[in-house]
């Protein structure tokens, strides 16, 4: 079945540093989504990507949908303590009713 | 916009009883709602997909008689865990979608079965 490989699994960085994480798959997806989940909460949608090659920003966050539609990256610039959490990528499959396939998650820790 | 609520946020029940969890889209009509289960330090596992007025589609390995899903309206879906056992203790999260693509998640329900 479809799988998303998300890397890295965890990151420990200093406040102010930039962060980069990525997801790859052997399958093609119609849409890529990036979510952030805080402990004990549901995931919050950060960025949605619909077109191959699309580069989208949301404040300090930037994400791109790979040209092959099989990968995506998320960058966070000038990290701050509230960026701490788990980031998930998710690919959407339209012909499966919009089902999401999730990556394993990247746990981000930011040291003040 | 695109706010999804869940109720209750936490529930403790005794083994053998049933528990109902509600998922509501507050500011949009959701054509599709999804139910997930999440174990500590793991990603979300899709349990079922439900469309308003039709039967839910369950993922392989999910018991439909144990996890009853009702999608009565475009803003409300419910998940009932029947005859709950301690192994059903988990974090249950719903999401709602009004078009193919983005899903908006609720805050989750922590179920503890004693």
């Amino acid at each position: 079945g479809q799988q998303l490989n998300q890397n890295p699994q965890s990151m420990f960085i200093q406040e102010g540093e930039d962060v980069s994480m990525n997801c790859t798959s052997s399958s093609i997806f119609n849409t890529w989504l990036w979510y952030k989940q805080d402990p004990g909460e549901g995931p919050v949608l950060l960025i949605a990507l619909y077109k191959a090659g699309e580069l989208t920003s949301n404040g300090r966050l930037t994400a791109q949908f790979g040209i092959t539609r099989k990968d995506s990256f998320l960058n966070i610039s000038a990290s701050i303590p509230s960026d701490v959490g788990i980031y998930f990528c998710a690919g959407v499959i339209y012909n499966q009713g919009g089902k999401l396939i999730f990556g394993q998650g990247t746990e981000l820790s930011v040291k003040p | 916009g695109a706010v999804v609520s869940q109720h209750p946020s936490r529930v403790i029940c005794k083994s053998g009883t049933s528990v109902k969890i509600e998922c509501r889209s507050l500011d949009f009509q959701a054509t599709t709602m999804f139910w997930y289960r999440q174990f500590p330090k793991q990603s979300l596992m899709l349990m079922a997909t439900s469309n308003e007025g039709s039967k839910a589609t369950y993922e392989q390995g999910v018991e439909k008689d144990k996890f009853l899903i009702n999608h009565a309206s475009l803003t409300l879906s419910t998940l009932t865990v029947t005859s709950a056992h301690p192994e059903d203790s988990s974090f249950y999260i719903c999401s709602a979608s009004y078009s193919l693509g983005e899903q908006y998640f609720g805050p989750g329900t922590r179920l503890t079965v004693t």
Side-chain angles (χ1 to χ4, degrees):
Chain A
Q2 295 100 342
Q3 285 186 327
L4 290 186
N5 296 311
Q6 186 170 349
N7 286 292
Q9 292 186 14
S10 61
M11 301 183 74
F12 297 85
I13 63 168
Q14 198 78 29
E15 182 177 1
E17 291 182 350
D18 296 342
V19 173
S20 184
M21 60 191 78
N22 68 83
C23 280
T24 60
S25 175
S26 58
S27 302
I28 292 174
F29 292 96
N30 301 104
T31 297
W32 279 84
L33 306 172
W34 284 94
Y35 289 91
K36 177 175 184 268
Q37 185 177 27
D38 292 328
E41 300 288 334
V44 174
L45 182 62
L46 299 174
I47 290 180
L49 301 161
Y50 291 95
K51 298 179 183 177
E54 179 181 355
L55 183 70
T56 298
S57 293
N58 178 6
R60 294 179 294 106
L61 279 60
T62 302
Q64 185 161 30
F65 195 164
I67 289 289
T68 64
R69 307 189 78 95
K70 294 181 179 181
D71 62 295
S72 176
F73 71 74
L74 173 70
N75 289 341
I76 305 173
S77 62
S79 58
I80 59 178
S82 62
D83 291 334
V84 166
I86 301 179
Y87 292 80
F88 290 102
C89 63
V92 186
I93 308 166
Y94 286 4
N95 64 7
Q96 292 187 28
K99 181 190 296 191
L100 296 188
I101 306 296
F102 279 91
Q104 302 96 325
T106 296
E107 185 171 9
L108 178 63
S109 300
V110 180
K111 186 176 180 182
Chain B
V3 179
V4 177
S5 70
Q6 266 183 257
H7 179 81
S9 58
R10 288 179 175 271
V11 58
I12 301 173
C13 71
K14 292 188 176 180
S15 187
T17 62
S18 296
V19 174
K20 181 185 285 188
I21 302 170
E22 289 188 351
C23 177
R24 294 181 185 271
S25 56
L26 298 184
D27 53 359
F28 66 99
Q29 292 187 324
T31 51
T32 309
M33 287 186 168
F34 303 82
W35 287 94
Y36 295 83
R37 186 172 179 176
Q38 188 177 33
F39 293 102
K41 299 290 186 181
Q42 292 189 21
S43 188
L44 285 77
M45 182 186 76
L46 179 66
M47 299 174 66
T49 302
S50 76
N51 293 289
E52 185 260 343
S54 61
K55 290 184 179 179
T57 300
Y58 290 82
E59 294 298 299
Q60 193 171 10
V62 178
E63 298 176 59
K64 62 180 181 181
D65 294 330
K66 179 165 188 63
F67 298 100
L68 301 178
I69 291 171
N70 183 272
H71 194 158
S73 74
L74 286 173
T75 59
L76 173 64
S77 177
T78 59
L79 168 69
T80 301
V81 182
T82 62
S83 187
H85 288 96
E87 57 265 30
D88 298 325
S89 299
S90 192
F91 192 51
Y92 292 88
I93 314 175
C94 72
S95 72
S97 176
Y98 56 82
S99 65
L100 284 177
E102 300 165 22
Q103 287 184 26
Y104 299 92
F105 286 84
T109 297
R110 174 73 59 192
L111 170 63
T112 303
V113 184
T114 61

